[in-house]
Amino acid sequence: MGKIIFVILLFSLTTISAQTIESSSRTTTGYIKSDGTIESSSRSTLGYIKNDGTIENSSRSTIGYIKSDGTIENKNRSTVGYVKKDGTVENSSHSTLGYIKDDGTVENSSRATIGYAKGISKEWAAVAFFFFNFD
């Protein structure tokens, strides 16, 4: 019985915990919680990424969208970029902005590490690092 309670508690804690967004020097710059809440390093809410792909600022105004095919759109539904399956992040003209590796490392177009987003989907990491400034 004790093992079952421990597993349930562990599962609960991991599903409500936040994934850390870090700078290239491994300084925490923010968090993305499993419910899509984006927080600053001081835990103030900066915005939200909803399950349907809607991106909102802290006032709950829509500022963009993530489509299921990796297309990133602004609030007017104009395409601002793409996140490809391999982690390549492109602007609307298909120029490479950077890369998000499977281990969460975020690189610029020159392959220099600009941050880390371990455990965060590539699309959510791209939104946080390349498209919408949540600072």
Side-chain angles (χ1 to χ4, degrees):
M1 182 69 164
K3 276 186 170 182
I4 294 172
I5 292 171
F6 176 74
V7 170
I8 292 170
L9 179 61
L10 184 62
F11 178 76
S12 299
L13 291 174
T14 58
T15 58
I16 60 172
S17 67
Q19 299 298 324
T20 304
I21 300 171
E22 299 174 322
S23 68
S24 61
S25 62
R26 294 285 190 177
T27 303
T28 299
T29 58
Y31 305 92
I32 297 183
K33 295 169 62 175
S34 60
D35 68 357
T37 302
I38 302 167
E39 299 177 333
S40 69
S41 59
S42 62
R43 296 288 191 171
S44 62
T45 300
L46 301 173
Y48 307 89
I49 301 174
K50 296 171 64 177
N51 286 337
D52 68 358
T54 303
I55 305 163
E56 299 174 335
N57 65 16
S58 61
S59 302
R60 293 279 189 183
S61 295
T62 299
I63 59 173
Y65 304 91
I66 303 171
K67 294 176 64 178
S68 60
D69 65 359
T71 302
I72 310 295
E73 299 175 332
N74 66 17
K75 67 179 180 182
N76 298 319
R77 294 283 189 178
S78 296
T79 299
V80 295
Y82 306 92
V83 182
K84 300 171 99 181
K85 297 275 185 231
D86 68 358
T88 302
V89 181
E90 300 175 340
N91 66 16
S92 60
S93 301
H94 294 283
S95 296
T96 299
L97 299 174
Y99 307 90
I100 301 170
K101 297 169 70 174
D102 289 337
D103 68 358
T105 302
V106 182
E107 301 173 333
N108 65 16
S109 60
S110 302
R111 292 284 190 179
T113 298
I114 60 171
Y116 302 91
K118 185 176 180 178
I120 298 170
S121 76
K122 291 177 182 177
E123 292 83 6
W124 289 19
V127 164
F129 277 91
F130 295 104
F131 294 107
F132 297 97
N133 186 3
F134 287 105
D135 303 356

